[in-house]
Amino acid sequence: MTTPQKPLVFGVYEQAAVGLGGVPSLWTHPEDERLGIDRLPFWQNMTTIAEQANLDVFFFGDVLGLYDIYGGGHESAVEWAVEAPANDPLLYVAALAAQTKNLAYGLTASTTYEHPFAFARRLSTLDHLSEGRIGWNIVTSYLENAARNFGLDGQIKHDDRYDRAEEFLDVVYKLWEGSWADDAIIADKAALRYADGSRVRRIDHEGAVYRVQGPHLTSPTPQRTPFLFQAGWSPRGKAFAAKHAEMVFVGNGDPEAVRTGLIDINTQARALGREENAVQSLSVMRLVVGRTEIEAQEKYDLLQSNYHLEAQLVSYAGDTGIDLSQYADHEPLGSHSEGFASNVRNHGKSATPITAGELRAQFSSVTRGQGTTFVGTPEQVADQIEQRAAYTGTTGFMLTQFISPGSLEDFTTLVVPELIKRGLYREDAPTGTLRSRLRADGSSRLDPGHHAASFRFPAR
Amino acid sequence: MTTPQKPLVFGVYEQAAVGLGGVPSLWTHPEDERLGIDRLPFWQNMTTIAEQANLDVFFFGDVLGLYDIYGGGHESAVEWAVEAPANDPLLYVAALAAQTKNLAYGLTASTTYEHPFAFARRLSTLDHLSEGRIGWNIVTSYLENAARNFGLDGQIKHDDRYDRAEEFLDVVYKLWEGSWADDAIIADKAALRYADGSRVRRIDHEGAVYRVQGPHLTSPTPQRTPFLFQAGWSPRGKAFAAKHAEMVFVGNGDPEAVRTGLIDINTQARALGREENAVQSLSVMRLVVGRTEIEAQEKYDLLQSNYHLEAQLVSYAGDTGIDLSQYADHEPLGSHSEGFASNVRNHGKSATPITAGELRAQFSSVTRGQGTTFVGTPEQVADQIEQRAAYTGTTGFMLTQFISPGSLEDFTTLVVPELIKRGLYREDAPTGTLRSRLRADGSSRLDPGHHAASFRFPAR
C-alpha cells in the first residue's frame, strides 16, 4: 500500500486508573490530572475535547486485578499506582455517553470473569441508552491476581481461555442476534400488545461451560451485537480476531510485523466467509509534539524526568510473570523460577532471552524503543502518521496519552489541523451508530458473513 | 406513635421495564410514556422532576428473568410487557447520576447472580462518580427463569439463598470497609507515592461459596459501603434486614402488620448491637390525586379502564408459581401441581388457600385491595399519608407510579405543597452523601455497631 486510507480512524485509549497502562508512572508529571480519575469532571473534560475534535472512539481498557508479581506482592503496584486503583469503566461509559451526543465508546470486558447472560443485558442496555455508540473490546484477561479475585487458584491457560471465550461469544450472539426477531415489537397500547410472543424465543444454550435459557431480557438495540474490538496478537489471538473482531487494537510498534499481521488476520477472515477487509485496525500511537522541534524536545525531556523505571517493571512483571526485582543485570530473563511464564502481552520482541540488564536499558526511556511514539512538530508527526499508515495498512490509530489530558489536547490542537489539511482526518461530526460509521455500507448490523449472523432469528 | 417523623422521607420506585412491577399493564394508559424506557429522555424527564422536588431517592427495582409461569411460557409476559423487557438499571443510574446534582439513587442487585468481587468494584465506582449518592437494594432474586438464565436447574431454596447472601455480604464488606485504610492514600506526585502499600491489604476470603483474594481495586469512596436497602418480609428476611439493612422497602399495605413488623426488625437489630431505630423504612404508596374528589374519581376510572387482570396474573404466577390460567374459579389455589410453590413476594394475606375466583375478584381492581393506594384531593391524600405514618412508624414512603411520569408529577405538584405546609416534606435540597442525609448523626459511614464495621482496617 502506498497511500493510506482517507480519512484515517482515530481513537484515544483510556483506563479508569491513576497509572495508565503503558506509561504507568506519568501521573507524576506536573501537568497530569489523573489523580482525578474517580470523579466525573476529569472524564467530562476529556470527552468534551474528544467530541469537539470529532474523534471516532473513546476507548477504555481495563484490568481485574493488581500487578502483584513484582516484589512478590501488591504493595508496589498500589504505592506507585501502576494501573491502580482500577475502577470499573462500565459506569463511566454510561455516564459519559449520556453527556455527549456523537462520541462513541469502546469498553473492555472479560469473557473469563463476566457471566454472559448478565453481560449481554448490560451491553444491550448501554447500546440502547447511547443510541448505538458502543463497542466491546473482547478480552480473556491475564493477571494472576484477577484469577484469584474470582475464585480460581490461578489463571486458566491461555488457549483454554480462548475456548471459553468462543462459548461465551456463542451465548451472547444468540441473545443479541437470535432471541428477538426484527419484527417482534408491536407497541400497541390499545390492543395491550407490546410484542409478538411467537417472535421472541429462548436460546436454551447448553455448553461445556454455560447453560443459559433466555430469552434475552432486552429488546433489539440499534446495533444488536455491539461493535467488536479485540487485541490478541498471538496465533490463537489472530485466529480469534479473524472470526470475531471488526477492529483490532494493535500494540505492536514494528511496522513490518503490523503489516503482515493485519494481512494474516484478514486472509483468515476471508477464508471464514467474512467480507473483504472485514477486520479494521487501530495502532497504538504516542505523541510528543511541539510547535517547534525545540519545544517537542523540551516536552520529551520533561516526560523522561517524570518517568520511573520501577513502575514500568511492575507492569512488566504482571504481564509476563517475570519479577525483575529478583534479577541481577547479568542474569537472562526466565532463569528464575517464575509464578507463571506465559508472555501474555506481546512486546514485539524475539523469543531469545535477553538479560535483565538489557531489559532495564530498553525500558530506561519513556518511549521504551517500541516504535509507537512519534516525536516532532505537527508536520513531522503527521508525516510519521501518514507513512506508518501507508506502510502497515492500519485503518487508524489509538492515541495513548503520556499526560492526561495534555496529550489529547496536543493531538487535537496541533496535529489534527495538519491531518485535516492532508485529508487524513474527518472534518464532519460522526453520526449514527458506531458500526454504521465504520462499515463501508453504512449498516448498523454485523456483516452477514460473520459467525454471529448464523444465530439470527429466521425471517417470517 | 401518634405523630409521624417530620419531615418524612420520600422516594419513587422505578424499573427499567415497560410494564412496571405492581401495575404491569398500565403502560397502555394513554398518558403513560413507558414505551420510552430504553433511551435517556424518559429517565431524564423523571429525574429532573424528582430533583426539582427535592425527593430523597430515585429507586430502581430489577428482575433477572421473565415471568414465564403463566400459560407455561414466556409469551404472555413478553406480549403484555409484564416487567418486560427488563433492561439493566445499573447503566441508567450511572447516566442519571451524572446528569443530576443532588438526587440520590437506589439500585437493586442480586447476591445470587452477581460475583461479589466485580460487584464491589462496580458499586465503589458508582459511589465515586456519584459522590456518594448511591444505595444498594440487597435482593436474593426469585424468578425461576432467572435461575435458568444463570446455569441452574431451578431456584436455590429461599433460606439457602439467604445463606449465600450472608457470605456475599461478608466478601463485599471486607472489600469496602476493610481493604484500604482511611489513611492509605498519599497522592504525592513528587515522591511517586500514590498510596501506602502497607495500608492496603488482601482480604483472602475463603468461604463455602466464594474465594476472593483482593485487595479491593477501588480507593475508599465517599460512603465505602453504599447505603443499604432491603425488602424481605419473611421471618428470614426480617432477620436479615435486622442485621444488614439501613432502610427496608415495605410492600405490605396492612398498617398493623407494618407497625409490628418494623418494631420486630428494630428490636432484632438492637439485640445485634446496632443503634436505636437503626432500620428505617419506606412503605409503598400509590396515589390517585385530583384537585377535586370528582377529578380524582375520573382519574381512578381511567386507570381502571386501562388495567388488565391478565397481565396481573402473569406477575402473580411468576411471584408464587401458581398459574391461574390452569384454574377454574371454584378451585382452591395450590391444588394443581405447580412448577414451584414458594410464595416469594409477601402479599400480606393469610396462609389459608383462597379459590381462583376469589383471587380474580381481589385482583379485579387496579388497587387490588392492598391498602397501599391513597385516593382523593391533595388534603385527603396528605391526611392518609400522615395517618399511615403516625400509625405504622414508617420513616417515609416509596411512590409507585400508576402512570409514568404522571403519577410523579401529580405527587410533586399537588401533594408535596400540602405536605410541606404540614412539615412532612423537606423544603431544602438534599446535599452530601445519601447516608449522611438519612443518618441522625450526619455521618457517611455505617453505624459502628453494624456487622460490616467489624471488618474495618485497624487504625495505625
Side-chain angles (χ1 to χ4, degrees):
Chain A
M1 192 181 290
T2 52
T3 57
Q5 167 180 321
K6 291 188 177 185
L8 295 165
V9 174
F10 288 92
V12 60
Y13 176 87
E14 263 299 341
Q15 281 176 262
V18 170
L20 185 63
V23 286
S25 64
L26 283 172
W27 64 271
T28 61
H29 191 288
E31 292 168 25
D32 190 276
E33 299 178 8
R34 300 197 70 81
L35 285 172
I37 58 141
D38 290 330
R39 289 189 291 277
L40 284 173
F42 171 78
W43 299 105
Q44 289 165 337
N45 180 33
M46 284 202 295
T47 52
T48 300
I49 294 167
E51 176 148 271
Q52 287 175 349
N54 298 328
L55 211 73
D56 291 283
V57 61
F58 195 95
F59 186 99
F60 277 96
D62 193 24
V63 289
L64 290 167
L66 290 172
Y67 283 74
D68 63 354
I69 305 298
Y70 187 83
H74 63 267
E75 288 77 5
S76 299
V78 167
E79 293 224 356
W80 302 333
V82 180
E83 302 193 39
N87 298 345
D88 190 337
L90 176 74
L91 290 313
Y92 297 104
V93 169
L96 295 166
Q99 302 209 316
T100 46
K101 183 164 175 286
N102 298 317
L103 187 60
Y105 295 84
L107 173 73
T108 296
S110 171
T111 54
T112 305
Y113 303 121
E114 295 282 344
H115 190 281
F117 184 81
F119 179 74
R121 187 171 81 123
R122 283 199 172 116
L123 262 68
S124 289
T125 302
L126 204 50
D127 203 46
H128 266 317
L129 80 77
S130 70
E131 305 191 21
R133 291 179 288 133
I134 294 296
W136 169 32
N137 179 35
I138 310 166
V139 299
T140 64
S141 301
Y142 56 88
L143 292 174
E144 280 293 291
N145 180 232
R148 294 177 200 275
N149 288 334
F150 286 89
L152 305 177
D153 287 323
Q155 289 193 69
I156 300 169
K157 283 186 195 140
H158 179 268
D159 282 13
D160 292 346
R161 292 205 306 274
Y162 274 102
D163 290 342
R164 286 174 66 108
E166 290 284 354
E167 188 185 338
F168 186 103
L169 282 162
D170 279 1
V171 175
V172 297
Y173 291 154
K174 287 174 185 177
L175 292 166
W176 285 330
E177 299 285 332
S179 186
W180 293 60
D182 285 341
D183 58 2
I185 305 293
I186 299 166
D188 182 340
K189 286 184 175 191
L192 180 63
R193 294 259 292 173
Y194 172 72
D196 179 343
S198 73
R199 305 293 290 162
V200 178
R201 62 179 181 182
R202 287 161 37 171
I203 66 165
D204 289 322
H205 175 90
E206 304 256 352
V209 181
Y210 302 109
R211 294 172 63 206
V212 177
Q213 184 179 66
H216 192 36
L217 281 183
T218 303
S219 67
T221 71
Q223 300 183 112
R224 288 188 175 252
T225 298
F227 188 80
L228 297 173
F229 293 95
Q230 200 255 3
W233 199 252
S234 65
R236 183 69 195 265
K238 283 177 180 165
F240 188 90
K243 183 172 174 187
H244 299 287
E246 298 177 270
M247 184 169 265
V248 289
F249 171 48
V250 182
N252 196 305
D254 173 359
E256 181 59 21
V258 174
R259 191 183 70 81
T260 55
L262 294 179
I263 290 170
D264 178 17
I265 291 170
N266 271 299
T267 304
Q268 290 189 52
R270 200 75 187 95
L272 292 169
R274 295 182 64 187
E275 61 195 354
E276 201 73 51
N277 295 316
V279 187
Q280 302 182 49
S281 51
L282 294 183
S283 299
V284 167
M285 163 181 84
R286 296 186 175 89
L287 297 179
V288 187
V289 56
R291 285 176 181 75
T292 62
E293 287 186 30
I294 290 170
E295 189 180 88
Q297 184 62 45
E298 286 169 355
K299 284 187 180 179
Y300 180 88
D301 294 344
L302 189 56
L303 289 174
Q304 184 64 33
S305 69
N306 285 283
Y307 171 78
H308 299 270
L309 173 63
E310 299 78 8
Q312 208 68 51
L313 296 180
V314 172
S315 184
Y316 180 82
D319 288 353
T320 63
I322 297 172
D323 175 3
L324 267 281
S325 75
Q326 305 302 309
Y327 282 80
D329 275 348
H330 70 275
E331 294 180 284
L333 300 186
S335 59
H336 286 239
S337 158
E338 315 288 352
F340 71 108
S342 61
N343 186 346
V344 187
R345 282 192 180 171
N346 186 294
H347 292 273
K349 297 296 156 192
S350 76
T352 313
I354 59 172
T355 66
E358 286 167 337
L359 188 85
R360 288 195 181 96
Q362 181 192 318
F363 276 20
S364 66
S365 154
V366 68
T367 64
R368 304 206 311 286
Q370 290 193 314
T372 54
T373 304
F374 302 147
V375 183
T377 64
E379 295 74 19
Q380 290 169 337
V381 165
D383 285 348
Q384 294 167 75
I385 289 172
E386 188 164 6
Q387 287 157 14
R388 182 64 61 91
Y391 188 83
T392 62
T394 190
T395 315
F397 293 89
M398 183 84 90
L399 174 68
T400 298
Q401 299 188 92
F402 281 119
I403 57 171
S404 313
S407 297
L408 178 60
E409 289 173 320
D410 279 355
F411 176 64
T412 59
T413 60
L414 299 177
V415 182
V416 164
E418 181 61 31
L419 293 172
I420 288 176
K421 270 189 216 165
R422 303 181 187 200
L424 293 170
Y425 195 95
R426 67 155 68 240
E427 292 191 68
D428 53 330
T431 57
T433 66
L434 177 55
R435 181 174 288 113
S436 74
R437 301 168 187 188
L438 293 174
R439 277 183 60 84
D441 66 2
S443 169
S444 291
R445 303 293 301 276
L446 273 165
D447 168 17
H450 190 286
H451 173 62
S454 65
F455 299 112
R456 286 183 181 154
F457 206 111
R460 206 188 288 259
Chain B
M1 193 182 289
T2 53
T3 58
Q5 168 180 321
K6 291 188 177 183
L8 295 165
V9 174
F10 288 92
V12 60
Y13 177 87
E14 262 299 341
Q15 281 176 260
V18 170
L20 185 63
V23 285
S25 64
L26 283 172
W27 64 271
T28 61
H29 191 289
E31 292 169 24
D32 189 276
E33 299 179 9
R34 300 198 68 82
L35 286 172
I37 57 139
D38 290 331
R39 289 189 291 276
L40 284 172
F42 171 78
W43 299 105
Q44 289 165 338
N45 181 32
M46 283 201 296
T47 53
T48 300
I49 294 168
E51 176 149 89
Q52 287 174 349
N54 298 328
L55 210 73
D56 290 283
V57 61
F58 195 95
F59 186 99
F60 277 96
D62 193 26
V63 289
L64 290 167
L66 290 173
Y67 284 74
D68 63 354
I69 306 298
Y70 187 83
H74 63 267
E75 287 77 5
S76 299
V78 168
E79 294 224 357
W80 301 333
V82 179
E83 301 194 38
N87 298 345
D88 190 338
L90 176 72
L91 290 314
Y92 297 105
V93 169
L96 296 166
Q99 302 210 315
T100 46
K101 184 164 175 285
N102 298 317
L103 187 60
Y105 296 85
L107 173 72
T108 295
S110 170
T111 55
T112 305
Y113 304 122
E114 295 281 344
H115 190 282
F117 184 81
F119 178 73
R121 188 171 80 124
R122 283 200 172 116
L123 263 68
S124 288
T125 302
L126 205 50
D127 203 46
H128 266 317
L129 80 77
S130 69
E131 305 191 19
R133 290 179 289 134
I134 293 298
W136 169 33
N137 179 34
I138 310 165
V139 300
T140 63
S141 300
Y142 55 88
L143 291 173
E144 280 294 290
N145 180 231
R148 294 177 199 275
N149 288 333
F150 286 88
L152 306 177
D153 288 323
Q155 288 193 70
I156 299 170
K157 282 185 197 143
H158 179 268
D159 282 13
D160 292 345
R161 293 204 306 273
Y162 274 101
D163 289 341
R164 286 174 66 107
E166 290 284 354
E167 189 186 338
F168 186 102
L169 282 163
D170 279 0
V171 175
V172 297
Y173 291 155
K174 288 175 185 177
L175 292 166
W176 285 329
E177 299 285 332
S179 186
W180 293 59
D182 286 340
D183 57 2
I185 305 292
I186 299 166
D188 182 340
K189 286 186 176 191
L192 180 62
R193 295 259 292 172
Y194 173 72
D196 179 342
S198 73
R199 306 293 291 162
V200 179
R201 62 180 181 181
R202 288 160 38 171
I203 67 165
D204 289 322
H205 176 90
E206 304 256 351
V209 181
Y210 302 109
R211 293 171 64 206
V212 177
Q213 184 179 66
H216 192 36
L217 281 184
T218 302
S219 67
T221 71
Q223 300 182 113
R224 288 188 174 250
T225 298
F227 188 80
L228 297 173
F229 293 96
Q230 201 255 2
W233 200 251
S234 66
R236 184 68 194 264
K238 284 177 179 164
F240 188 90
K243 182 173 175 187
H244 299 287
E246 298 176 88
M247 184 169 265
V248 291
F249 170 48
V250 182
N252 196 303
D254 173 0
E256 182 59 19
V258 174
R259 191 184 71 80
T260 55
L262 294 179
I263 290 170
D264 179 15
I265 290 170
N266 271 298
T267 304
Q268 290 189 53
R270 199 74 187 95
L272 292 169
R274 296 183 63 187
E275 60 195 355
E276 201 72 51
N277 295 315
V279 187
Q280 302 182 50
S281 51
L282 294 183
S283 298
V284 167
M285 163 180 85
R286 296 185 175 89
L287 297 180
V288 187
V289 57
R291 283 176 184 75
T292 62
E293 286 185 30
I294 289 170
E295 189 180 89
Q297 185 62 45
E298 287 169 354
K299 285 187 180 179
Y300 180 89
D301 292 344
L302 189 56
L303 289 174
Q304 184 64 34
S305 70
N306 285 284
Y307 171 79
H308 298 271
L309 173 63
E310 300 79 6
Q312 208 69 50
L313 296 180
V314 172
S315 183
Y316 179 82
D319 289 353
T320 62
I322 297 172
D323 176 2
L324 266 281
S325 74
Q326 306 301 310
Y327 281 80
D329 275 348
H330 71 276
E331 294 180 284
L333 299 187
S335 59
H336 285 237
S337 160
E338 316 286 352
F340 70 109
S342 62
N343 185 346
V344 187
R345 282 190 180 172
N346 186 293
H347 293 273
K349 299 294 158 195
S350 76
T352 312
I354 59 173
T355 66
E358 286 167 335
L359 188 84
R360 287 193 181 96
Q362 181 191 318
F363 276 19
S364 67
S365 153
V366 68
T367 64
R368 304 207 310 286
Q370 290 194 315
T372 53
T373 304
F374 302 147
V375 183
T377 65
E379 295 73 20
Q380 290 169 337
V381 166
D383 286 347
Q384 293 167 77
I385 289 171
E386 187 164 8
Q387 287 158 15
R388 181 65 59 92
Y391 188 83
T392 62
T394 190
T395 316
F397 293 90
M398 184 84 90
L399 174 68
T400 298
Q401 298 188 93
F402 282 119
I403 58 170
S404 313
S407 296
L408 177 60
E409 288 173 321
D410 279 355
F411 176 64
T412 60
T413 59
L414 300 177
V415 182
V416 165
E418 182 62 28
L419 293 172
I420 288 175
K421 270 189 217 165
R422 304 181 187 200
L424 293 171
Y425 195 94
R426 67 156 68 240
E427 292 192 68
D428 53 330
T431 57
T433 66
L434 177 55
R435 180 174 289 114
S436 74
R437 302 168 188 189
L438 295 174
R439 277 183 61 85
D441 65 2
S443 169
S444 290
R445 303 293 303 276
L446 274 165
D447 169 15
H450 190 285
H451 173 62
S454 65
F455 299 113
R456 286 185 180 152
F457 207 111
R460 205 188 287 262

